[in-house]
Each structure stands twice: as structure tokens, then as C-alpha cells.
Amino acid sequence: MKAPKRNAVQQAGFLLGMYGQFLKIYVKTLVEYRADTMIAIVAGIIAQGSTLAFLTVIFSRIPALAGWDFYELVFLFGLAAAGRALNQTFLNAPFLITGYIRYGKLDMMMVRPVGVLFQSIGYGQELNGVGQLCTGLVIMVYSALKLDMTWSYGQVGFAILALLCSALIQFAILLTISVLTFWVHEVRSLIFPVTWLYDFARYPLQIFHPVLRGLLTYVFPYAIGSFYPAAYLLHHERYEWALWGVPLVTLAVLGVALWIWSLGLRRYTGVAG
């Protein structure tokens, strides 16, 4: 059965409607499995709370870290945590794609009238990210109140954009790694260390060695979606470039990832191929 021909607007509307159906199923899962949802939320709170407890202990000894005081660091941590959770909740597809390729599910997905990557994103919502997302947003608001930050509509808009960019950058990086399965059968041993690198982006880059700073900015640009947006919101006079640099880098990284994905998909010949 051939997919009906649609113009760009019709196709966009169709995909939005289709993703809405995926989200509806996801919300039903949250409601149906209330105990699992509560466990995920509590687990997220505990995970983020333990890190905050660690930061509190550190700052009881050190009044400032690389020029950042406690609540500034907490704001950075909250933004990074919320961005990570947003990616995990809605863009967890890279962790599933390897299994789809290895075990043949990709063959079934390719004959459907919706793109394989879109289907992977729709199937990839992750329950465990819900609690961390809620906690990260609460931490951001709490630290912003303690810092007496003044919020204009533009700053609120940039904060929302920064969270989206953070999620998309993580998605693009992990998608690029997972796509290597089209050429190399075992990439799971690589995708998890690359994921863990994001933890460094929750702290001021100035405390790290220049090699690690370069890695987090230019090779795996996690810092573009976490440290630099937080630095702009807290010290915009020193990081004015982040206003346009963050979305621009996000588009570039995402574009490269989608290009590599298209190359890999063209190379795919099926499980028996």
C-alpha cells in the first residue's frame, strides 16, 4: 500500500497528529501503571537530591567554584538535569535503534508509510525520565528565586529553547553513535560512555582540563546545551554569543546526525543481507 501524496504542510500535520497518538499512548501508560510512575518520580527525586546533597557538602567547605556560587551551580545543575530528562523522556530512540537493527524489527518498520526514525522516537518514550524532569525544573525555579533573577519574556523563551536544544544535542550525538550499528555490529560499549560524558556538563567548564573542555564543546558538544545557556542566563554580558550560538550549533549537530542516519539507512539490506 502506497502512502498518499501530501504537500509539506499536510505531511507536517500528519506527523504531528501521529506523534500525538504516540504521546496519548504514553500518557495512558503513566496513568495505567500508577505505581511504576510514582516509583519513577521518586527515583528521579532521590537521584537528583543525592547530587544536590553532595554539592551542599562541597560548598560547606568551598564558598565558590571557579567563580560560581552555590545557587548558580544549583541553577546550572537543574538546567542540565531537566535537559537530560527531557531527552530521556521523549528522545530515547538511539538506545532502541541498535536493537531494531540487530534483531530485524527495522525490516518491519521500513515498510510502513512513516519514517523509521519517526517511529523509533514515537516508541522510545522513557518512563524513568518523568521524575528527573519534574525535579530538574523545580531545582531551576528554586535556585532562580534564591538568586533573585529577573525574567523577561525573552529570557523565559531562551530557557525553554535551551532545554529543547539540550535534548536535541544529546539525541543527535547518541543517534550518530547508534547509527554506527549499520557498519559495526557492537556499539553498545561506546554509546554508554558517551552518554555518561554529559555528567561533566553539569559543572562549570572552568574546573576541567582544557582537553576535556574542548571535548565537551567541540567533539561531543553537551556543554552547548547545558553550561553555556545557564552561563548566559546568569552572566549574559559575558556569554552573549550563546543567544544565537546555542540554536545554531544544535541545528548543525542535528543536521549531521540526520545525514549520517540517511547514509546508514541506505546501506541497510535487512537481517539476512
Side-chain angles (χ1 to χ4, degrees):
M1 177 180 173
K2 290 184 178 181
K5 292 184 178 180
R6 306 183 183 91
N7 59 38
V9 176
Q10 290 172 329
Q11 183 67 9
F14 170 75
L15 292 177
L16 285 173
M18 180 66 69
Y19 190 69
Q21 294 301 315
F22 280 118
L23 286 180
K24 189 181 296 184
I25 294 172
Y26 179 57
V27 172
K28 286 181 178 179
T29 302
L30 297 180
V31 175
E32 183 70 22
Y33 299 97
R34 296 181 181 88
D36 291 346
T37 302
M38 290 306 301
I39 290 171
I41 293 174
V42 172
I45 294 172
I46 293 173
Q48 307 303 343
S50 61
T51 305
L52 280 178
F54 170 75
L55 292 178
T56 303
V57 171
I58 293 295
F59 270 83
S60 67
R61 300 282 184 176
I62 305 171
L65 185 65
W68 289 58
D69 65 29
F70 176 70
Y71 288 109
E72 288 178 334
L73 195 60
V74 169
F75 181 82
L76 167 59
F77 172 79
L79 190 149
R84 174 72 166 271
L86 194 64
N87 168 262
Q88 185 180 1
T89 304
F90 298 108
L91 295 172
N92 201 47
F95 289 96
L96 305 177
I97 289 171
T98 298
Y100 293 160
I101 296 172
R102 290 168 63 92
Y103 302 114
K105 188 173 181 179
L106 199 69
D107 294 19
M108 176 185 66
M109 297 169 75
M110 290 183 71
V111 300
R112 293 172 177 169
V114 180
V116 174
L117 185 58
F118 182 84
Q119 293 179 64
S120 301
I121 293 172
Y123 288 129
Q125 284 96 351
E126 176 57 52
L127 179 63
N128 291 334
V130 175
Q132 296 183 37
L133 179 58
C134 296
T135 308
L137 293 174
V138 169
I139 290 171
M140 281 184 67
V141 173
Y142 170 75
S143 56
L145 291 174
K146 287 293 185 178
L147 291 166
D148 291 326
M149 296 174 65
T150 56
W151 290 88
S152 65
Y153 289 115
Q155 287 173 312
V156 172
F158 179 77
I160 295 172
L161 177 64
L163 291 175
L164 293 175
C165 287
S166 177
L168 288 172
I169 287 173
Q170 294 170 71
F171 170 75
I173 292 171
L174 298 178
L175 178 65
T176 301
I177 301 298
S178 67
V179 165
L180 296 178
T181 308
F182 286 117
W183 292 273
V184 182
H185 290 297
E186 182 54 65
V187 299
R188 286 175 295 184
S189 57
L190 180 60
I191 194 169
F192 286 106
V194 172
T195 303
W196 298 332
L197 271 176
Y198 183 81
D199 290 340
F200 291 103
R202 300 184 301 179
Y203 302 97
L205 285 187
Q206 296 90 335
I207 69 174
F208 300 123
H209 189 278
V211 173
L212 183 55
R213 292 204 299 266
L215 188 69
L216 294 172
T217 303
Y218 302 108
V219 182
F220 302 105
Y222 289 133
I224 300 296
S226 57
F227 170 75
Y228 288 111
Y232 171 78
L233 290 169
L234 293 168
H235 309 285
H236 63 273
E237 67 282 352
R238 283 186 283 168
Y239 297 93
E240 290 183 354
W241 64 268
L243 186 61
W244 55 267
V246 169
L248 189 63
V249 171
T250 301
L251 290 175
V253 174
L254 187 60
V256 170
L258 293 176
W259 175 67
I260 297 175
W261 163 261
S262 66
L263 291 180
L265 200 60
R266 286 200 295 269
R267 185 183 185 279
Y268 182 72
T269 56
V271 177

